[in-house]
Amino acid sequence: MSERSVVVVQGRSDPEGLPGLETLAGEVELRYAPDLDRLREALPGADVVLGSNFRSGRLREVWSAADRLRWIHWTGAGVDALLFPELIESEVVVTNSRGIYDGAMAEYVLGLVLDYAKDLGRTHALQQARVWQHRLTERIAGTRALVVGTGSIGREIARMLRAVGIEVTGVGRRRRENDPLLGTVHGREALDRLLPEADWVVLVTPRTPQTEGMFGAAQFEAMKPTARFINLGRGALVDEEALIAALRAGALAGAALDVFGTEPLPPASPLWTLPGVIVSPHMSGDFFGYPRVLGELFLDNFRRYRAGEPLRNVVDKAAGY
Ligand code: GLV
């Protein structure tokens, strides 16, 4: 490729660009676009967008300014906040950062499982109050988890939970046999049948029009009253009102939520204080040093792009992941 690349770094301003990006400075023109107006100005003539978040304004609103765009690399795993019909129909290639968050998210799930089973929240509270109160705690070995979403994140979660003696069943988009890790992966249609058997229900499927609202009143009612629900996927996968009602009715014992319909979770949400609920601010995949790993992936893909080689982590735009 002979023409000089123009890379728009969306959602970030100059000093906080991804680690490693500065090594491209002599070779490409870098344009930082922390907000929608700057994005509109930066897009004409740009062939690459390095996208981080579109809370600062969605690309769709300035899409007509993208006159030379060929490739968007997304620093997240889920691309639901990025995709829109004009982009899906265009020739622009989208890549994501799948793979980078898997290990941290699997560890996070294990942490939540242990937090619940070993009653750690209560231990912290009793210590604060200087109360010595002996209790019994749950065993996790021999319990059962249902992991909904069997991409690289779900598979790493399955591997981690198996390592501590939890029996894991996977639900993917459609049924497949002989998966080396999960054996049979069940299709979405099996979800309601499998829910009553699970002690842990872990949701990590991508948000697409097919998965939005896949957990509603019927799914929560199908769960064991002792089960805990863990959502690290997207808030929109869940009917939050139905979850709140199910928790209040005792249809399930708890919910650890890292993602919400509205983020940040509004202070008035009952989820902050409902017994059995653990709220965290969309952080399960983010570990110390991860921006450097994101930078390495982008730089590797950028070299491939310039060399005309196949890119890593190409997203199936029509499928939505
Ligand atoms: C975060 O939620 C991501 O998709 O990477």
Side-chain angles (χ1 to χ4, degrees):
M1 191 181 289
S2 54
E3 269 178 83
R4 192 163 192 247
S5 271
V6 176
V7 179
V8 173
V9 184
Q10 178 277 331
R12 291 168 191 261
S13 53
D14 194 346
E16 28 153 341
L18 276 191
L21 211 55
E22 67 286 352
T23 60
L24 292 181
E27 192 182 331
V28 309
E29 182 183 335
L30 289 173
R31 297 180 184 167
Y32 288 89
D35 57 39
L36 193 62
D37 287 337
R38 298 274 297 280
L39 186 60
R40 187 182 287 109
E41 286 161 25
L43 279 174
D47 54 328
V48 180
V49 167
L50 170 58
S52 295
N53 73 70
F54 282 105
R55 268 178 223 135
S56 48
R58 284 172 56 83
L59 181 62
R60 186 177 193 178
E61 292 168 46
V62 292
W63 184 239
S64 58
D67 55 2
R68 192 191 152 218
L69 192 58
R70 298 184 51 196
W71 169 40
I72 300 174
H73 180 76
W74 188 246
T75 60
V79 288
D80 50 306
L82 167 67
L83 294 178
F84 52 94
E86 297 86 337
L87 169 57
I88 294 170
E89 284 149 26
S90 75
E91 300 281 301
V92 174
V93 174
V94 173
T95 56
N96 68 3
S97 299
R98 65 172 165 257
I100 285 179
Y101 304 101
D102 303 356
M105 292 177 76
E107 290 168 4
Y108 203 83
V109 170
L110 181 58
L112 291 167
V113 165
L114 289 169
D115 188 320
Y116 277 122
K118 302 303 164 189
D119 204 15
L120 297 179
R122 182 106 186 103
T123 299
H124 293 305
L126 290 169
Q127 180 182 344
Q128 289 274 319
R130 298 171 187 250
V131 175
W132 179 275
Q133 188 188 100
H134 179 270
R135 291 114 63 219
L136 303 182
T137 63
E138 298 167 30
R139 291 297 314 272
I140 59 171
T143 61
R144 291 175 166 187
L146 184 65
V147 176
V148 182
T150 50
S152 65
I153 296 169
R155 298 173 66 76
E156 190 57 22
I157 291 169
R159 208 185 55 76
M160 183 75 71
L161 295 182
R162 286 232 167 125
V164 293
I166 296 176
E167 214 178 284
V168 183
T169 303
V171 170
R173 200 156 55 127
R174 53 181 96 82
R175 185 182 170 97
R176 56 177 199 274
E177 307 291 339
N178 303 323
D179 180 278
L181 183 69
L182 292 160
T184 298
V185 171
H186 299 268
R188 165 89 184 266
E189 68 290 344
L191 179 65
D192 291 5
R193 177 170 58 76
L194 295 169
L195 280 170
E197 292 164 18
D199 300 296
W200 313 99
V201 176
V202 185
L203 182 58
V204 286
T205 200
R207 175 186 179 182
T208 67
Q210 291 73 40
T211 60
E212 260 174 41
M214 73 186 286
F215 273 79
Q219 286 65 42
F220 296 123
E221 271 153 33
M223 287 172 63
K224 284 188 191 180
T226 49
R228 276 79 169 225
F229 175 65
I230 298 175
N231 184 11
L232 309 185
R234 285 290 182 265
L237 302 172
V238 172
D239 176 343
E240 228 165 62
E241 292 307 314
L243 173 60
I244 292 167
L247 284 162
R248 284 185 173 141
L252 67 165
L257 309 169
D258 190 49
V259 288
F260 301 88
T262 303
E263 295 179 9
L265 182 66
S269 169
L271 290 171
W272 288 107
T273 51
L274 264 181
V277 174
I278 299 175
V279 168
S280 58
H282 203 139
M283 59 182 270
S284 67
D286 302 346
F287 54 95
F288 289 116
Y290 84 98
R292 185 184 46 76
V293 188
L294 286 176
E296 283 164 7
L297 171 62
F298 175 71
L299 289 181
D300 180 53
N301 249 354
F302 186 76
R303 305 268 170 234
R304 291 163 183 261
Y305 166 72
R306 292 294 297 179
E309 292 168 9
L311 299 182
R312 287 164 65 189
N313 290 2
V314 173
V315 168
D316 179 339
K317 292 187 289 179
Y321 52 87

